[in-house]
Amino acid sequence: MAMAALRREGRRFAPLISPRPITAVRSSPLYPTLEDEGPLGLRHISTQVVRNRMKSVKNIQKITKAMKMVAASKLRAIQTKTENSRGLWQPFTALLGDLPSADVKKNVVVTISSDKGLCGGINSTSVKISKGLHKLNSGPEKETKYVILGEKAKAQLVRDSKKDIELIITELQKNPLNYTQVSVLADEILKNVEYDALRIVFNKFQSVVSFVPTVSTVLSPEIVEREAESGGKLGDLDSYEVEGGETKGEILQNLAEFQFSCTMFNAVLENACSEQGARMSAMDSSSRNAGDMLDRLTLTYNRSRSIFIIYACFHGSLKVTC
């Protein structure tokens, strides 16, 4: 009874999986058994393709899980350093201010990005904000240039803004980040770029799944002195007593350079922290997607194997292995 039922089911599926008339397959030199060929060489190939695909998805899932663990380890190492660096630039913001609306002629947009991908949309966000700042601060009597940190921002900005790029720095995170390394980079930028305002674009770290695109503005000493004399937000600078033989301009020059290096140090660490958090989230999503795909492929494979067994039973061959 069971064999008869299986043969009836085989007659139902046979037209779907065999383009030739249904004939019994017997072992002979001209007609190999199903164990050698599979049902007319068709269903066996299909299950093999699905099996190979399942193997590939499993390997991808292993890689994404490993990358998530590596990102989590790097995040823990950078997060503490990032939180400590926030105390460096905050006093300068209280003293010299952060004036994104300052109207100046020479603007330099410092775009901070990562050297590697697979970290969500943090690099695209930074590039979009940088392009917006470039467009906002462009005009007949204004000049806006780019300073790029990271391969990903370089790849996007070189395509349509190559003539506006003043300096490119890559492989910033090849070694562990420290203040000495970043201060050397900041000094290199100040030597090669003329500016009235430096606008640093980066992603501020909030949590593993959250980051905030941020713009910090560092004004040149001349602009700071002009804003202080105009009685704006920097008008309180004259209330401080200056000791020593240095003039007010020299002090503002030193403060502006130190403010830029401290702000850069914090911005680079914040962006690196956001990068690792975004990579953790991206790899976690990839691992879950790979698991869902593996479940669907397993279901497809089991269905194909069931049809294979029914076909084999219909043709009277019991020596079938899947």
Side-chain angles (χ1 to χ4, degrees):
M1 294 293 292
M3 184 61 68
L6 283 174
R7 294 194 182 207
R8 285 195 300 272
E9 291 295 318
R11 291 190 186 94
R12 286 175 52 204
F13 287 103
L16 299 178
I17 61 177
S18 175
R20 294 182 290 180
I22 302 172
T23 56
V25 180
R26 298 299 179 187
S27 178
S28 71
L30 296 178
Y31 297 95
T33 62
L34 288 171
E35 185 178 4
D36 299 329
E37 183 186 359
L40 305 179
L42 181 65
R43 183 56 57 186
H44 180 68
I45 293 176
S46 177
T47 54
Q48 184 65 36
V49 169
V50 176
R51 193 184 299 118
N52 291 339
R53 185 70 182 276
M54 290 169 62
K55 185 177 180 181
S56 299
V57 173
K58 285 180 181 178
N59 292 336
I60 292 172
Q61 190 178 39
K62 290 179 183 178
I63 293 171
T64 54
K65 286 183 177 180
M67 291 182 68
K68 178 186 174 183
M69 294 176 64
V70 171
S73 176
K74 291 182 178 180
L75 177 62
R76 284 193 294 270
I78 300 174
Q79 188 171 358
T80 303
K81 193 181 294 186
T82 302
E83 293 172 351
N84 293 334
S85 71
R86 291 172 183 169
L88 283 174
W89 62 269
Q90 289 172 349
F92 288 104
T93 302
L95 177 63
L96 301 176
D98 188 347
L99 301 176
S101 60
D103 187 17
V104 296
K105 293 183 179 180
K106 294 182 180 180
N107 289 276
V108 176
V109 180
V110 182
T111 306
I112 300 177
S113 67
S114 65
D115 289 317
K116 299 179 181 179
L118 300 177
C119 52
I122 65 169
N123 297 315
S124 300
T125 303
S126 297
V127 171
K128 287 179 182 178
I129 293 176
S130 299
K131 289 181 178 179
L133 286 173
H134 186 278
K135 185 176 180 180
L136 185 64
N137 293 285
S138 297
E141 297 182 356
K142 294 183 178 180
E143 182 184 16
T144 305
K145 296 291 185 179
Y146 286 113
V147 172
I148 300 173
L149 276 70
E151 286 284 353
K152 294 303 176 180
K154 170 190 169 183
Q156 296 186 50
L157 290 173
V158 162
R159 288 197 294 264
D160 53 359
S161 304
K162 187 174 182 179
K163 61 182 178 62
D164 295 325
I165 296 175
E166 195 76 18
L167 186 64
I168 298 175
I169 300 171
T170 58
E171 297 185 358
L172 185 61
Q173 299 183 40
K174 191 174 183 179
N175 299 315
L177 294 170
N178 54 61
Y179 179 76
T180 303
Q181 177 186 2
V182 177
S183 62
V184 171
L185 294 177
D187 187 56
E188 187 73 17
I189 293 172
L190 294 176
K191 286 180 180 178
N192 291 279
V193 176
E194 294 183 2
Y195 73 97
D196 290 330
L198 291 161
R199 306 185 188 278
I200 306 169
V201 181
F202 63 97
N203 295 282
K204 187 173 182 180
F205 179 76
Q206 295 286 328
S207 65
V208 176
V209 295
S210 175
F211 57 89
V212 179
T214 307
V215 179
S216 292
T217 304
V218 178
L219 302 177
S220 66
E222 295 80 10
I223 302 300
V224 171
E225 192 168 0
R226 187 191 72 184
E227 292 288 333
E229 291 175 355
S230 64
K233 293 183 179 180
L234 303 179
D236 295 335
L237 283 177
D238 293 331
S239 62
Y240 291 93
E241 182 180 353
V242 179
E243 297 181 354
E246 293 181 335
T247 63
K248 182 179 179 181
E250 292 174 343
I251 293 175
L252 288 176
Q253 178 74 29
N254 294 332
L255 285 175
E257 292 177 359
F258 193 39
Q259 179 192 16
F260 178 57
S261 62
C262 292
T263 306
M264 275 284 294
F265 180 55
N266 174 255
V268 168
L269 287 175
E270 294 277 3
N271 199 81
C273 222
S274 300
E275 175 193 348
Q276 299 303 333
R279 184 169 287 116
M280 279 184 62
S281 299
M283 293 302 102
D284 183 57
S285 299
S286 299
S287 299
R288 288 200 303 268
N289 292 339
D292 295 340
M293 184 179 291
L294 193 59
D295 292 340
R296 293 195 298 270
L297 288 172
T298 303
L299 184 60
T300 302
Y301 175 75
N302 290 336
R303 285 176 177 173
S304 302
R305 191 172 61 171
S306 300
I307 296 175
F308 185 91
I309 294 174
I310 293 171
Y311 188 93
C313 293
F314 174 76
H315 283 283
S317 174
L318 300 178
K319 295 181 180 180
V320 177
T321 58
C322 296

